[in-house]
Amino acid sequence: YRSLTMNGEQIEFSEGFTELHTTVYRDILAGGGYGLAEAKPSVELAYGLRTAPILQTPSVVHPQVERVRGRSRVAASGSLPPRG
C-alpha cells in the first residue's frame, strides 16, 4: 500500500506501477522520453545533494531522527532519555 497525504488530501498510488519501468523503457526505445536537456537539472540536483556538506544544527532535528535517538538512548540506559 502506497499513499501520500498532502494538504489533507490522500493520494493512493499502490496500483498501476508494477510495469512502470518496462513501459518507460519501451517509450524511450520508441524515441519518446526525456532528452539530456530535460534530465540535466535533475542529475545536477541529485549530485548537489549527494555531495553537499553535512550541517549539524542541534536545535533543528527531524522528528524521525529524534525518535531513533530516543530509542537508542532507551536501549543503552534502560529508561527514557530526558527531553530538551
Side-chain angles (χ1 to χ4, degrees):
Y1 180 76
R2 294 182 179 117
S3 72
L4 176 68
T5 302
M6 223 180 221
N7 297 327
E9 180 181 344
Q10 183 181 25
I11 303 165
E12 196 279 320
F13 53 98
S14 297
E15 300 295 322
F17 290 93
T18 55
E19 296 296 322
L20 181 59
H21 282 91
T22 303
T23 302
V24 170
Y25 295 148
R26 283 187 184 136
D27 183 48
I28 291 168
L29 292 173
Y34 296 102
L36 294 175
E38 292 88 5
K40 185 178 178 181
S42 297
V43 173
E44 289 175 338
L45 174 62
Y47 176 80
L49 291 171
R50 192 173 52 248
T51 59
I54 297 173
L55 303 176
Q56 294 186 12
T57 309
S59 63
V60 180
V61 179
H62 190 281
Q64 291 294 347
V65 172
E66 188 59 41
R67 183 180 61 80
V68 170
R69 282 183 185 169
R71 188 172 33 190
S72 64
R73 287 187 217 155
V74 169
S77 69
S79 62
L80 290 173
R83 298 289 296 172

